[in-house]
Amino acid sequence: MKYKSMDIGQVSPEAAGRKERLAGWVDEVRDLGKIKFLLVRDRTGSVQVTWKKGSCEESTGEVIGTLHQNDVVSVVGTIERSTVSKRGVEVLPEQIHVLNRAKHPLPMDIAEDISTGLDVRLDYRPLDLMRPSKRRIFEVFSETISAVRGFFHARGFAEVVTPRIISAATEGGANLFNVRYFDRTVNLAQSPQLYKEQLVMGLEKVFELGTYFRAEPFDSTRHLNEFVSLDIEVAFADCGDVMVILQDMILAISSEICRNSQLADSLAQEFRKVSGPIPVYKYEEVVNALNEHGMKVNFGSDLSSEDLKKVQQFAEGAYFITDWPTSTKPFYIKQRGEGDVTESFDFMWGPLEVCSGGSREENRDKIEKKLLASGMNPATFEEHLKFFACGMPPHAGWGLGFNRLLMAMMGLSNIREAVLYPRDRFRITP
Ligand code: ATP
Ligand code: MG
C-alpha cells in the first residue's frame, strides 16, 4: 500500500532489523531533548518510535517536535528489539511524514480510560471509534453479519432485498413515516414482513438484513426510529422449526466470534457466550410465575418492561416465551388450534426482546377475519392477499432486531451504543 507496508499490530521482535513503512495517528509525544518518543497507533495496536540524537536525522527530530495527538503520520524506520518498551519492540525513524494535522486540542478526549457522556460521543462518533472498547462493538457487529450470512447460505437460504418504499402498513398502521414520492405520499417500511412471506412461494427459504423505520415518539434505551433487522421466512415450516433455526444461528454466532482470535482475546469480559439449548417458557407459565411473584398480569395483555424485569428472578440470559395470546400478536400470526393462543414466540435476552416470530396464517379468509378484528381494511392489503389464493404454502419466520442482539451479546445498556449513527426523535445528525 502507498502509505504503509504493514499494520502496526504486526510489528514484532521477530521483525527486528527490517525497514518498514507504518502509518497511523499520534497518541503521545515525549521530548527529552536528546531522545524523543513518539507513540503511533492504528486500529491494530500502537508502537513506540524512538528518535535518538546522533543516530537519527536532525530534521526527523524537528518533525516530532511539532506533533500533537491524532496528527496523521507515516513513519519509515527500522524495527529494533527493546527491553524498555511495552511490546518489546520499537522503531528507529528514518523519515516521518505528516499526512494531515489534527485540531489541538481535539473536541473530544479519545483516551480509553476517560469517560465521556453518550451525547458527546455520538456527536463525535468517528473519534469515539478510535477507542478500542467502542470500536470492538462494531467489529463484533461486522463479524456477526459475516457469521449470519455464512449460516444461512450453508442452509440453502436465498438472501433477498425487498423495498423500503411501500404503500401499505406491514405491522399495523400507526407507526409509519410518510414520505413525499412525486405527487403522492408513500411510507417507509416497518419490516419486510409481507414481501418475505410472498417470496416463500418461489424461493422457499429467504433471509434479509435491512434497515427499517418506526415512527413512534419512543423514549427508551431499546427503541430507535431506524433500526437494523434480520428477517427469515421458510416454506413448509412452523413456529418450532424456525425457533430451532434461531437457536442454531445464535450458537453459531457465539462460537464464530469466540473462534475469531483477534476479537476473542480482547472480548474475554464483555462478550456473553450462549452455549447450550435455550430454555423455552410458555406465556401462560410466565404470567402465572409473575403473579406468584406479586405482579398483576392478566392473560391476554402484553408483558410490560416492569414484568420482564421481574422475569429475571426465574429466567436469566437467553430464553424463549411461546404461545402468546392472539391479542398480543399481529394479524399474520397463526392461531394454535381453536384456542386463544398463537403459534408464536419472542426470543428474550434478560428483559430485552430480541426477536419475534411464529407460524404465519396461510388461509386467506382467516387473515381477512384477523385484519377486520384488528380494525384494518382487508382491501388495503389486496396486493398482498391476492397471492394467498395462488398456492401459498404453510410457512413460518421471524424478525430479529440486530442492534438489540448486539446489545445483548455485548452487555450494552443503551441501543445507541450498538448503532453507529442512531436516529431517534431528537437526533438526526451526524
Ligand atoms: P417492542 O415490543 O420491543 O417494541 P416489537 O414487538 O414492537 O418490539 P417487532 O415488530 O416484533 O417489535 O419487531 C421484531 C424485532 O425488531 C423486535 O423483537 C426488536 O428486536 C426489533 N425492533 C422492533 N422495533 C424496534 C425499534 N423501534 N428499535 C430497535 N429495534 C426494534
Ligand atoms: Mg415483537
Side-chain angles (χ1 to χ4, degrees), residues 380-391:
T380 346
F381 288 85
E382 188 51 32
E383 280 302 322
H384 175 61
L385 293 178
K386 64 186 184 192
F387 300 114
F388 284 70
C390 300

Side-chain angles (χ1 to χ4, degrees), residues 287-332:
V287 167
N288 290 340
L290 280 172
N291 288 334
E292 276 163 28
H293 280 75
M295 308 295 276
K296 290 198 167 51
V297 191
N298 293 322
F299 184 94
S301 56
D302 209 347
L303 300 179
S304 67
S305 44
E306 284 313 303
D307 296 334
L308 291 168
K309 271 186 206 138
K310 198 81 178 173
V311 172
Q312 296 318 285
Q313 298 192 353
F314 49 90
E316 280 187 328
Y319 59 98
F320 288 104
I321 303 178
T322 64
D323 293 72
W324 289 78
T326 314
S327 51
T328 62
K329 288 291 165 189
F331 69 89
Y332 48 79

